[in-house]
Amino acid sequence: MSTIDKIKQLKKERDAVILAHYYVNDEVQAIADYVGDSFYLSKVAAKTEAKTILFCGVSFMGESAKILNPTKTVIMPDMLADCPMAHMADIGKIEKMRREYEDLAVVCYINSTAKLKTYSDVCVTSSNALKIVRALPNQHIFFIPDENLGRYVASQVPEKHIILNDGYCHVHKGMTRQEVKKAKEEHPNAKVLVHPECTMDVTGLADYIGSTSGIIDYATASEAEEFIIATEMGVLYELRQKNPGKRFYPVGNHAVCADMKCITLEKIADALEKMNNTIEIEEEMRQRANQPLERMLELGK
Ligand code: 13P
Ligand code: SF4
């Protein structure tokens, strides 16, 4: 039996739904029931009726699914697939900021550990951060962990005082202005579509800045035929599927998230067979981490 047939059979036996982020390998996206950005996937995870959620993504995604839907079994193809940025904020610093500003809101990018979420007031993703920060009654915002997304939000919501943290995504931070300019020289008619986890050097050259699904929707709706894509290269799969007549060029050839790419069909079949690699979160922590996630779902509607 092929690995894909094995996955199909095990999925039925385990009453499992497969969720995948746009950054995982093409063949994994191809077999998933739902593929999307972090916000979309968290909404699917919160609502699914399947008994088991197999999350093809990094650990904060599986954790968020478990936090939002605790009666489900959440399994990961590879427990080592983790987002380094999810750990890049310091609890002591959060507490210090809270002492300094009475009306502080700690806004936590969903790319964060469950523990960091428990210290936060609301979560955001790259597709809803602007909407949610604008909707908050607080004037002072401590944005964790991603400095670049925080800086982008600050530039779009100047009426708020946004305090930045020094976390970053190494994949997005690694893309340079020179590389974008070179791509633009090679493809002068191409629109430049950039993820807000990139540095200001790169977002400054963008025709459009948005989340992975924002980028896909923009390119799909656009009359342009060529696009330079400044985000992890996994999005090229969906971009090309949806737009066979258009041309997409990555920035450099190194925007690859090794943690996302370590998920394979074999690991998916194995996890479904053994039903190991389950996400477990202690109930008190889960309830505390659930509050900012639920608030995000409410404000992000
Ligand atoms: P989005 O899918 O929300 O754009 O997230 C980007 C990301 O880095 C996920 O790890
Ligand atoms: Fe984390 Fe960046 Fe990988 Fe997304 S692409 S999982 S932010 S390291």
Side-chain angles (χ1 to χ4, degrees):
M1 197 192 286
S2 75
T3 310
I4 293 182
D5 287 340
K6 197 170 165 191
I7 291 171
K8 281 186 189 155
Q9 186 185 316
L10 285 163
K11 239 176 57 163
K12 276 199 206 125
E13 286 172 27
R14 309 292 191 226
D15 186 18
V17 64
I18 300 184
L19 274 50
H21 190 269
Y22 287 128
Y23 293 165
V24 298
N25 291 309
D26 299 359
E27 63 275 17
V28 174
Q29 294 189 48
I31 57 102
D33 298 300
Y34 298 92
V35 186
D37 72 354
S38 307
F39 186 43
Y40 171 76
L41 293 174
S42 64
K43 286 188 288 188
V44 174
K47 284 204 186 124
T48 184
E49 283 175 4
K51 263 204 225 146
T52 304
I53 299 171
L54 180 113
F55 214 124
C56 301
V58 287
S59 42
F60 77 80
M61 296 180 169
E63 274 183 4
S64 299
K66 183 69 182 177
I67 291 165
L68 287 163
N69 214 339
T71 61
K72 308 292 174 190
T73 303
V74 178
I75 54 177
M76 305 298 286
D78 188 329
M79 291 301 260
L80 297 177
D82 193 13
C83 169
M85 179 166 69
H87 304 265
M88 292 183 190
D90 179 56
I91 308 265
K93 199 166 169 194
I94 297 175
E95 288 169 342
K96 184 170 168 277
M97 288 298 164
R98 285 207 190 275
R99 284 195 297 275
E100 240 166 79
Y101 298 96
E102 227 175 77
D103 84 326
L104 189 80
V106 178
V107 174
C108 186
Y109 192 20
I110 197 165
N111 297 34
S112 51
T113 60
K115 183 158 184 208
L116 280 176
K117 289 183 176 78
T118 67
Y119 285 84
S120 305
D121 297 295
V122 64
C123 287
V124 296
T125 71
S126 49
S127 64
N128 62 28
L130 298 180
K131 185 176 181 184
I132 289 176
V133 170
R134 284 191 185 114
L136 291 174
N138 316 63
Q139 176 61 23
H140 302 288
I141 309 285
F142 184 32
F143 195 98
I144 59 167
D146 187 19
E147 179 172 13
N148 289 311
L149 180 60
R151 188 176 287 117
Y152 172 64
V153 172
S155 72
Q156 301 300 305
V157 192
E159 64 274 22
K160 305 251 177 192
H161 172 218
I162 298 184
I163 305 151
L164 300 176
N165 177 64
D166 57 4
Y168 60 89
C169 162
H170 64 96
V171 178
H172 288 86
K173 197 175 173 179
M175 282 177 259
T176 65
R177 192 174 177 87
Q178 287 74 8
E179 285 171 323
V180 180
K181 281 191 163 166
K182 186 165 174 274
K184 197 70 193 153
E185 271 163 36
E186 286 164 6
H187 311 287
N189 297 324
K191 296 260 183 227
V192 180
L193 315 187
V194 177
H195 196 280
E197 286 177 20
C198 291
T199 62
M200 260 195 349
D201 272 0
V202 171
T203 54
L205 297 173
D207 293 298
Y208 170 80
I209 301 170
S211 73
T212 49
S213 25
I215 288 174
I216 292 163
D217 292 347
Y218 181 96
T220 306
S222 170
E223 306 227 310
E225 285 173 1
E226 296 182 281
F227 302 87
I228 293 161
I229 303 297
T231 188
E232 211 275 355
M233 287 166 68
V235 296
L236 295 170
Y237 177 70
E238 182 77 4
L239 281 166
R240 289 176 177 145
Q241 292 275 117
K242 281 205 162 144
N243 303 283
K246 297 181 179 175
R247 289 182 297 286
F248 299 98
Y249 312 109
V251 171
N253 255 318
H254 52 85
V256 174
C257 177
D259 284 279
M260 291 282 193
K261 296 294 191 261
C262 75
I263 295 160
T264 61
L265 293 177
E266 288 69 27
K267 288 181 189 173
I268 293 171
D270 198 54
L272 280 172
E273 184 161 36
K274 297 189 181 130
M275 289 297 278
N276 57 355
N277 294 352
T278 57
I279 300 271
E280 309 296 342
I281 302 172
E282 191 267 315
E283 182 55 17
E284 200 210 318
M285 179 187 274
R286 188 201 67 78
Q287 284 184 19
R288 285 176 55 205
N290 191 39
Q291 288 169 17
L293 278 171
E294 291 286 359
R295 197 166 175 209
M296 171 187 81
L297 294 178
E298 192 50 40
L299 291 172
K301 266 184 194 160

